[in-house]
Amino acid sequence: GTFGQINTAAQDKYFSISQTFSPFQFGARRRLLNETATASELRVAVTKQELSYRVRQSWNAMLYYTELNKILQEQNGYMQKFVRAADLKFRTGETGSLENTTAIAKQQELLQQIKQNEAMIKVERSRVRILLNLEGDFTITDTTFTPLAAIAVRDSARVKQNANVQLALQELEVAKAGSRVERSALMPDFTAGYFIQSMRGVQDVDGSPVTYDSSLQFQGFSVGVGIPIFAGSGSARIRAAKTNVEVQQMNADYLQAQLQGEFQQQLEQLSTFESLISYYNATALPNADTIVNNSTKAYMNGDISYVEYMQGLETALDIRTNYINAVNNHNQAVIYLQFLLNQ
């Protein structure tokens, strides 16, 4: 609004309204906002994927330590029989104190391992409660520790579905949209306006004098084009935006190549663990049962010494422990492949 002696010595009023718009920037800025919003959603997806991965790791660890303790408890049962037999032989004078002392020491060592595993189970339970934001405790209903199914984790093409890859590709789209915004800043702006005003006094209208009062009677429109003249800083921003696009492209390519490499490595390790588990199920575990049974019978009958009996028990324990470790490594590989494929 303008008031005062606008046209003549008389006091007049002038009101105008105008709008400057940049049609070349509207679409570019809208695209940038949409791409940025999508990137934010993908960051949430990255967090969810990481959370699922950590929960699976801790859950598998709890089952692993629980299964390991089952084996140690079974071994402890054999050791208890060994301790009683050694103590009886010592009291009857059949053997010296070395056998009895060795039996007790081995059993105490087993009990310490069981306690350590129980402590690790508590640690993993606490970690799961934190990850899931649980206020109270929870119960594990399925305590079976078996190899996880690995059929659905062998398609390398699905690595592109990894949330981190999707985010990297989206960051590239954000960079491209930002580059378009910077280029659009060098395009012309347009202005459109409307005005209305008073013009008191005598005016010549079609050759006849007409007297006008102070009411708003005269109106019109205005248009304009704004062209950037000093484009140096804009050109620099365009070059910076182009460089950012190149950087984001390299980051996305590198991340995809890195995850593809990790996928192939994990797949090879998975095949190794699968072969190892098949060997244990077919050969090693049955042999461990045979070793324990025959060694126990032979020792109780006095056919072998306590040293041979201890060697047999420890050999069987090593076989069973190695099997559990193989299953654990197998499951860890499957869990990481699930993470890579965003499953």
Side-chain angles (χ1 to χ4, degrees), residues 315-334:
T315 299
L317 177 62
D318 289 340
I319 292 174
R320 291 169 175 171
T321 302
N322 290 337
Y323 167 73
I324 295 302
N325 290 334
V327 174
N328 181 51
N329 292 332
H330 172 276
N331 290 351
Q332 291 291 351
V334 172

Side-chain angles (χ1 to χ4, degrees), residues 56-102:
R56 285 170 174 167
Q57 278 187 316
S58 293
W59 197 267
N60 180 77
M62 285 190 296
L63 297 180
Y64 164 69
Y65 289 118
T66 301
E67 187 68 20
L68 197 56
N69 267 358
K70 290 180 181 179
I71 296 176
L72 295 177
Q73 291 285 6
E74 182 180 352
Q75 185 78 359
N76 186 49
Y78 292 115
M79 292 303 300
Q80 288 175 346
K81 294 180 182 179
F82 178 41
V83 169
R84 289 194 297 268
D87 181 64
L88 180 60
K89 289 181 180 181
F90 173 69
R91 284 189 286 107
T92 57
E94 185 177 345
T95 61
S97 62
L98 179 59
E99 182 175 346
N100 186 43
T101 303
T102 302

Side-chain angles (χ1 to χ4, degrees), residues 4 19 24 32 62 70 81 120 149 169 203 212 223 232 238 250 254 271 291 297:
Q19 175 65 50
F24 301 103
L32 176 60
M62 285 190 296
K70 290 180 181 179
K81 294 180 182 179
M120 293 303 300
L169 294 175
Q203 302 293 328
Y212 292 94
V223 294
I238 290 175
M250 288 187 292
Y254 172 76
S271 299
I291 291 172
K297 291 178 181 178

Side-chain angles (χ1 to χ4, degrees), residues 62-306:
M62 285 190 296
L63 297 180
Y64 164 69
Y65 289 118
T66 301
E67 187 68 20
L68 197 56
N69 267 358
K70 290 180 181 179
I71 296 176
L72 295 177
Q73 291 285 6
E74 182 180 352
Q75 185 78 359
N76 186 49
Y78 292 115
M79 292 303 300
Q80 288 175 346
K81 294 180 182 179
F82 178 41
V83 169
R84 289 194 297 268
D87 181 64
L88 180 60
K89 289 181 180 181
F90 173 69
R91 284 189 286 107
T92 57
E94 185 177 345
T95 61
S97 62
L98 179 59
E99 182 175 346
N100 186 43
T101 303
T102 302
I104 295 175
K106 289 293 184 180
Q107 185 188 23
Q108 291 299 319
E109 183 179 353
L110 276 175
L111 293 176
Q112 291 303 316
Q113 292 178 5
I114 292 173
K115 289 181 180 179
Q116 291 178 7
N117 290 337
E118 288 175 349
M120 293 303 300
I121 292 173
K122 291 180 180 179
V123 170
E124 296 299 338
R125 291 178 71 92
S126 176
R127 186 169 296 158
V128 170
R129 285 197 300 269
I130 294 173
L131 292 172
L132 298 181
N133 195 26
L134 299 177
E135 295 182 358
D137 202 355
F138 59 91
T139 303
I140 302 177
T141 56
D142 185 7
T143 58
T144 304
F145 187 66
T146 56
L148 296 174
I151 299 177
V153 293
R154 301 182 184 275
D155 186 4
S156 61
R158 298 189 62 180
V159 172
K160 291 183 179 180
Q161 297 181 6
N162 184 279
N164 291 282
V165 173
Q166 293 295 317
L167 178 59
L169 294 175
Q170 187 58 35
E171 293 289 358
L172 173 61
E173 295 301 319
V174 172
K176 291 180 180 179
S179 178
R180 284 190 287 268
V181 169
E182 295 300 338
R183 290 197 302 269
S184 68
L186 297 182
M187 302 301 289
D189 294 335
F190 297 93
T191 302
Y194 165 78
F195 69 87
I196 187 170
Q197 71 173 70
S198 64
M199 188 178 296
R200 289 196 295 177
V202 179
Q203 302 293 328
D204 186 7
V205 179
D206 295 333
S208 301
V210 179
T211 302
Y212 292 94
D213 56 15
S214 60
S215 60
L216 298 171
Q217 303 180 61
F218 300 91
Q219 55 186 333
F221 300 92
S222 63
V223 294
V225 179
I227 301 175
I229 299 177
F230 304 102
S233 61
S235 299
R237 287 194 297 270
I238 290 175
R239 289 194 299 270
K242 183 180 178 181
T243 302
N244 186 39
V245 171
E246 295 173 354
V247 169
Q248 296 299 332
Q249 180 69 66
M250 288 187 292
N251 288 340
D253 293 341
Y254 172 76
L255 182 59
Q256 290 188 73
Q258 181 186 21
L259 295 185
Q260 284 286 355
E262 292 181 3
F263 176 83
Q264 294 299 329
Q265 293 175 6
Q266 290 294 319
L267 208 57
E268 292 174 3
Q269 292 183 7
L270 181 63
S271 299
T272 301
F273 296 139
E274 287 176 338
S275 300
L276 191 58
I277 290 173
S278 298
Y279 157 73
Y280 276 109
N281 286 324
T283 305
L285 290 179
N287 288 341
D289 294 336
T290 302
I291 291 172
V292 170
N293 294 332
N294 293 344
S295 297
T296 301
K297 291 178 181 178
Y299 176 73
M300 293 302 178
N301 294 332
D303 298 332
I304 60 175
S305 66
Y306 77 93

